[in-house]
Amino acid sequence: MKPNQNQRGASATALLAFVLFVALLYVLYNQSSIENLFTSRPENVTPRVVEARGDLAAGEKSVVELFEVSKASVAYIFTESVQGQLFFRRVAEGTGSGFIWDDAGHIVTNAHVVEGASRIRVQLDDSEPLPARLVGIAPSYDLAVIRLVNKPANLRPIPVGTSGDLLVGQSVFAIGNPFGLSKTLTAGIVSALGRTLPVSNGREIPDVIQTDAAINPGNSGGPLLDSAGRLIGVNTAILSQSGSSAGVGFAIPVDLVNEIVPQLIERGTLPRPGIGIAVADESLARRLGIRGIAVMGVEPGSPAAQAGLKPFDLQAGVVGDIIIAVDRKPVANVLQLSKALEAIGVGGTANLLVMRGDDTREVAVSIVDLEAR
């Protein structure tokens, strides 16, 4: 007689139970051997004796002290901005760095860190993130000032140094928030001075400090310090194909920062002296064999228009004006023209030496604040 399906199932269950029972006995029997496999240690083996280190070197001590003193003045900035339209909106998050400017709770950072942000939060040392609002911004110099909404007690403004007496080769230190990693210290030297740094609106920041101290995304707006712990620059950009530090970073010099920040706190914007023209790259004037700035556009009603300046029209073959000097000082590029107008200031008059074709003439042009137009 063949076993039915119930009998076969009962036999299989009994066999499985027997196998499990034997396996359990085997494990219990060998448990001590298995434990010994992981916990046993050869006889007479002990940890190595720890060598006494001794004091840190004098240079190490000074860097440790610099960081401990300076970290309370550094701000770690987190931003949110709404991007897109209607149903395709999303919130983009960003990080950056900054530093405490004064006891009123003003914090200096880069313009590109906070520009367009709908929400700004700041973390100071070990504090919780604190809300902040934008006070002033100067995209032409990539600088901005924000202010803590609820100012905590015992703020520690950063000590301010000078950048005019910096030397290539002297030690510098950057503290910031690279890749969102707060309280990061990097060290290096001043690797070059007098650089110019292009910014988004076609202007250039003059006398920029170049350093090999590692500066990465998130370091933007943080302080560059000298070996005395004084602010000498604001870290702002790197030169890299990969987007990470390649040993060439740039910082806005503190002498320039010290001029701009008080104006941003007081006015919210920075006066931009100008005469109402659009100019071409100096390469156009060079092709014409002239050192100067070719006028490519004149704003209607502007001081340039009132003074009769005429733009080039390359398609129609119209020859326009080339500015070759301001107050009898030669200008060969946009940066030199901007510096000359800034030196005269809003409300002043610039005497331009202008060439049109073979004719040269002097034109008096009033300087206005282009930001107020």
Side-chain angles (χ1 to χ4, degrees), residues 52 62 79 110 192 224 229 273 290:
S62 65
T79 63
N110 281 147
L224 187 70
I290 301 168

Side-chain angles (χ1 to χ4, degrees), residues 182-262:
S182 60
K183 297 184 184 179
T184 295
L185 170 72
T186 57
I189 60 170
V190 174
S191 55
L193 293 166
R195 300 299 195 201
T196 57
L197 185 67
V199 288
S200 58
N201 59 5
R203 299 277 299 252
E204 291 181 325
I205 305 173
D207 299 324
V208 169
I209 303 164
Q210 180 181 306
T211 178
D212 68 345
I215 296 173
N216 285 293
N219 271 118
S220 293
L224 187 70
L225 308 172
D226 63 11
S227 57
R230 305 179 310 160
L231 178 74
I232 57 171
V234 179
N235 300 318
T236 188
I238 58 174
L239 183 62
S240 171
Q241 298 295 325
S242 65
S244 296
S245 177
V248 181
F250 301 100
I252 304 166
V254 70
D255 292 351
L256 184 60
V257 175
N258 212 1
E259 292 178 8
I260 293 172
V261 167

Side-chain angles (χ1 to χ4, degrees), residues 33-329:
S33 298
I34 295 173
E35 290 176 352
N36 289 335
L37 180 64
F38 292 100
T39 60
S40 62
R41 179 182 294 171
E43 295 182 0
N44 301 323
V45 174
T46 58
R48 291 284 305 274
V49 175
V50 176
E51 296 282 346
R53 189 209 181 283
D55 290 339
L56 294 175
E60 292 176 302
K61 287 181 179 179
S62 65
V63 174
V64 170
E65 182 180 358
L66 178 146
F67 177 73
E68 290 298 322
V69 171
S70 302
K71 67 179 183 179
S73 302
V74 180
Y76 309 101
I77 300 173
F78 306 90
T79 63
E80 295 179 5
S81 58
V82 179
Q83 298 181 349
Q85 297 179 350
L86 297 177
F87 300 106
F88 299 99
R89 289 184 179 179
R90 68 182 185 90
V91 176
E93 296 181 343
T95 61
S97 305
F99 49 88
I100 300 171
W101 182 257
D102 57 24
D103 292 324
H106 291 109
I107 292 172
V108 176
T109 185
N110 281 147
H112 75 260
V113 169
V114 296
E115 194 169 21
S118 56
R119 185 185 184 198
I120 304 172
R121 292 177 299 146
V122 175
Q123 185 174 2
L124 299 175
D125 206 3
D126 293 322
S127 74
E128 293 295 323
L130 305 170
R133 63 178 181 85
L134 181 64
V135 171
I137 190 165
S140 296
Y141 295 95
D142 198 14
L143 288 173
V145 177
I146 60 178
R147 184 174 182 176
L148 297 172
V149 174
N150 299 308
K151 181 178 70 72
N154 302 320
L155 289 177
R156 186 180 296 176
I158 200 162
V160 174
T162 61
S163 51
D165 57 357
L166 292 177
L167 300 173
V168 173
Q170 76 176 80
S171 297
V172 292
F173 305 87
I175 304 178
N177 191 24
F179 306 112
L181 302 173
S182 60
K183 297 184 184 179
T184 295
L185 170 72
T186 57
I189 60 170
V190 174
S191 55
L193 293 166
R195 300 299 195 201
T196 57
L197 185 67
V199 288
S200 58
N201 59 5
R203 299 277 299 252
E204 291 181 325
I205 305 173
D207 299 324
V208 169
I209 303 164
Q210 180 181 306
T211 178
D212 68 345
I215 296 173
N216 285 293
N219 271 118
S220 293
L224 187 70
L225 308 172
D226 63 11
S227 57
R230 305 179 310 160
L231 178 74
I232 57 171
V234 179
N235 300 318
T236 188
I238 58 174
L239 183 62
S240 171
Q241 298 295 325
S242 65
S244 296
S245 177
V248 181
F250 301 100
I252 304 166
V254 70
D255 292 351
L256 184 60
V257 175
N258 212 1
E259 292 178 8
I260 293 172
V261 167
Q263 297 182 66
L264 293 181
I265 293 174
E266 181 180 355
R267 299 182 41 167
T269 60
L270 192 68
R272 186 159 63 95
I275 58 176
I277 60 173
V279 301
D281 187 89
E282 55 264 27
S283 61
L284 175 61
R286 286 203 191 104
R287 289 200 298 271
L288 298 174
I290 301 168
R291 284 178 58 83
I293 298 105
V295 178
M296 301 304 295
V298 176
E299 183 180 345
S302 67
Q306 295 170 9
L309 291 186
K310 181 180 178 181
F312 279 83
D313 188 336
L314 299 181
Q315 291 183 343
V318 175
V319 176
D321 289 322
I322 296 176
I323 302 171
I324 56 178
V326 177
D327 288 348
R328 299 186 179 183
K329 295 180 180 178

